[in-house]
Amino acid sequence: MVTDLVFFTSVAILMISAMGVITSNNPVHSALFLVSCFFQSSVLWLLLEAEFLAIALIVIYVGAVMVLFLYVVMMLDIRKNQHKQSVSSILPIGIGISILFIAELIFALSGTNVVQTRDTGVLSNPNNTEALGIELYTNYLVEFELASIILLLGIIAAISLTLHRRPGLKKQEISQQVSVSKKDRLKVVQVRSGEGA
Amino acid sequence: MSVNDYFIISIFLFAIAVAGIFINRKNLILILMCVELILLSVNFNFIAFSEIYQDFSGQIFVFFILTVAAAEAAIGLAILITLFRHKKSIYIDDLNELKG
């Protein structure tokens, strides 16, 4: 009963937030609606016994990815060059295609009969995080390492794309500073008495 | 509430996100957000099937999807920043170098 209430409330907020993401004019509002979507999804995943992934969704998406999105939205000067959006010409196509998607998927779903196996406790024994860890480090070790390589690739690509060297920038050259010798910096001048400045 | 309801959520979330790509097709950053929504709806399917079949593979797959999505968002936003620096705009109408 309480589960049903939580479920339907979360679904309602999720759908409203998803509509907000795609309809709001301000990209900052879209990003915040997307944060709300992730929170509601995490509640729904908790109901499906995926506790670790629910927390990971909040930590990774809300904590990292959406903050990155918000930073980028706020850094870019979007308001100034806001174009007139001509949505009216493309809107029927978009809605038509999404209705087609819904119809196709519901048609596909109604033909099949998905029978739920009874709860064997595999997903939560001893607890979800520990069971997931055991599974991940025994059967999926290679994939886990590949995922780390993907993340490394993401770091390298993001840094090398956004790093740009401006000309005329004043910065330290550590090697030149260290290798400087006395004769580069110090000049001894013989000054005769009475001729100094 | 049954597990099958999660398929309906997934379908509607996917459809909303696809409609969003069409509605916001001028704005690159909103398209990236819609791609994130699509990934979220796929994750719903994986977790629901993981619960139905009492099999961990679905949750493992979601774990990897989250990893790849984080890397994808980082690289996509880096490309977006480079693009903005180059063109002073992120609107797709301004990206007409190739005259396609």
Side-chain angles (χ1 to χ4, degrees), chain A:
Chain A
M1 183 58 208
V2 179
T3 321
D4 278 354
L5 193 67
V6 172
F7 177 80
F8 288 112
T9 315
S10 298
V11 170
I13 300 176
L14 176 63
M15 291 301 157
I16 292 168
S17 308
M19 292 302 287
V21 171
I22 69 169
T23 52
S24 79
N25 283 324
N26 192 342
V28 178
H29 294 171
S30 289
L32 292 175
F33 273 124
L34 201 50
V35 168
S36 160
C37 276
F38 287 130
F39 268 113
Q40 302 312 318
S41 308
S42 138
V43 171
L44 290 171
W45 290 8
L46 277 179
L47 294 179
L48 279 179
E49 293 188 339
E51 289 98 3
F52 174 75
L53 289 171
I55 300 301
L57 187 78
I58 289 184
V59 171
I60 295 175
Y61 265 96
V62 179
V65 175
M66 290 320 295
V67 171
L68 198 64
F69 263 99
L70 280 175
Y71 264 124
V72 170
V73 170
M74 290 172 183
M75 261 164 51
L76 303 183
D77 198 2
I78 298 173
R79 273 297 181 79
K80 209 171 71 184
N81 42 28
Q82 188 124 36
H83 284 205
K84 271 270 179 267
Q85 297 242 0
S86 61
V87 288
S88 54
S89 62
I90 202 79
L91 191 61
I93 304 176
I95 291 177
I97 284 182
S98 53
I99 287 176
L100 193 69
F101 259 119
I102 292 175
E104 272 180 359
L105 290 171
I106 286 180
F107 179 71
L109 199 67
S110 63
T112 56
N113 188 17
V114 181
V115 182
Q116 182 170 10
T117 51
R118 67 191 169 77
D119 196 346
T120 55
V122 174
L123 298 181
S124 52
N125 184 31
N127 58 54
N128 181 250
T129 307
E130 198 168 335
L132 189 72
I134 291 169
E135 184 81 4
L136 197 61
Y137 289 124
T138 49
N139 295 332
Y140 293 91
L141 188 61
V142 182
E143 290 85 347
F144 187 72
E145 300 292 335
L146 280 176
S148 72
I149 293 178
I150 288 174
L151 284 178
L152 179 69
L153 204 71
I155 296 172
I156 293 173
I159 292 177
S160 62
L161 276 170
T162 50
L163 187 74
H164 83 143
R165 294 180 182 79
R166 275 170 289 180
L169 192 68
K170 289 192 171 109
K171 59 175 183 179
Q172 284 187 315
E173 291 284 348
I174 306 288
S175 58
Q176 287 185 15
Q177 279 184 330
V178 170
S179 64
V180 78
S181 62
K182 184 182 170 188
K183 68 174 174 15
D184 297 332
R185 293 287 163 87
L186 185 69
K187 191 173 160 193
V188 179
V189 206
Q190 293 293 334
V191 183
R192 271 184 284 170
S193 62
E195 288 185 1

Side-chain angles (χ1 to χ4, degrees), chain B residues 3-4 7-9 12 16 18 24-25 29 31 33 37 44 48 53 57 67 70-71 76 84 88 91 100:
Chain B
V3 175
N4 287 336
F7 303 143
I8 310 291
I9 301 173
F12 275 93
I16 289 173
V18 169
N24 299 311
R25 75 188 203 297
I29 200 158
I31 290 181
M33 287 184 199
L37 264 186
F44 261 105
Y53 293 119
S57 309
T67 312
F84 185 77
K88 299 287 171 231
Y91 288 92

